[in-house]
Amino acid sequence: DVKVTQSSRYLVKRTGEKVFLECVQDMDHENMFWYRQDPGLGLRLIYFSYDVKMKEKGDIPEGYSVSREKKERFSLILESASTNQTSMYLCASSPPGGGGVPDTQYFGPGTRLTVL
Amino acid sequence: TQLLEQSPQFLSIQEGENLTVYCNSSSVFSSLQWYRQEPGEGPVLLVTVVTGGEVKKLKRLTFQFGDARKDSSLHITAAQPGDTGLYLCAGRISGSARQLTFGSGTQLTVLP
């Protein structure tokens, strides 16, 4: 079974703190994604990566950065946390895809971040 | 503005009832997926549909992709409490890159 793990289930930080959210997958997937999930808004893509050391902005990258130094690990960084970044953060991975059919995205259990 | 609109946003029904959840867009999608998310977990893929008009069945769940590939529906027959969860549709816009666009979700509660 594919396993995607996230470093914390719950995290409480203060405004202005630097926050690191870690995600690790064990299936050698090329693609990794970071989403935030808010009630009534579904999942919104923050950043994604198709290979080591590469990254692309998603729909809502402002206030976030990412790092992918190793294939299995994709980190989300909040440089200076703000209260409007209080949310559920979900990491996902997927194989490279092909043939026009999207591959399954495998999600971690999520990190519920509260910024006070 | 959501590219994929789901309705209803909340649905509470009794065990044994039937229900339909809708996912609509003004954009054409090359494929559409349905995920289910249970409390404290990430979403899990239920099905992928790729052809306009396609119908797929998964036990008591029936998924349909619209002929124009702009909408989809999920029908559950004889709902059970184990069907409770957040249902999310997700699609890849035709001609776009590899990322998915997710709908806003339908929170289903099936009461025993």
Side-chain angles (χ1 to χ4, degrees), chain B residues 18-68:
Chain B
N18 301 333
L19 67 112
T20 302
V21 175
Y22 300 93
C23 176
N24 296 293
S25 177
S26 56
S27 301
V28 176
F29 288 86
S30 58
S31 62
L32 201 131
Q33 297 180 317
W34 284 92
Y35 288 78
R36 181 169 69 205
Q37 184 178 19
E38 297 184 14
E41 300 297 330
V44 175
L45 180 70
L46 295 173
V47 77
T48 300
V49 286
V50 296
T51 306
E54 182 176 2
V55 177
K56 278 192 175 178
K57 294 196 174 191
L58 187 66
K59 297 184 181 177
R60 294 177 293 99
L61 278 61
T62 301
F63 304 86
Q64 185 161 8
F65 200 13
D67 291 339

Side-chain angles (χ1 to χ4, degrees), chain A residues 37-38 40-44, chain B residues 2-7 22-24 29 32-35 86-91 100-106:
Chain A
Q37 183 175 27
D38 300 287
L41 297 177
L43 274 66
R44 292 180 292 166
Chain B
Q2 291 275 144
L3 276 177
L4 277 172
E5 297 285 348
Q6 283 187 242
S7 61
Y22 300 93
C23 176
N24 296 293
F29 288 86
L32 201 131
Q33 297 180 317
W34 284 92
Y35 288 78
L86 179 68
Y87 289 81
L88 294 156
C89 63
L100 292 175
T101 297
F102 279 84
S104 47
T106 294

Side-chain angles (χ1 to χ4, degrees), chain A residues 5-7 11 13 17-24 32-37 44-49 55-58 60-69 73-81 85 87-92 110-111 113:
Chain A
T5 56
Q6 295 185 227
S7 50
L11 209 52
K13 295 291 182 181
E17 281 193 78
K18 191 168 186 175
V19 182
F20 293 87
L21 302 182
E22 303 285 336
C23 175
V24 178
M32 296 190 75
F33 307 83
W34 274 107
Y35 297 89
R36 64 176 284 175
Q37 183 175 27
R44 292 180 292 166
L45 183 63
I46 304 172
Y47 268 97
F48 56 102
S49 169
K55 59 187 178 185
E56 288 195 34
K57 293 180 180 179
I60 51 164
E62 296 78 20
Y64 304 95
S65 61
V66 291
S67 171
R68 194 165 181 199
E69 296 295 320
R73 188 180 298 269
F74 192 33
S75 303
L76 179 69
I77 303 151
L78 286 66
E79 295 290 341
S80 178
Q85 292 179 309
S87 186
M88 170 70 83
Y89 289 88
L90 289 163
C91 174
T111 295
L113 172 67

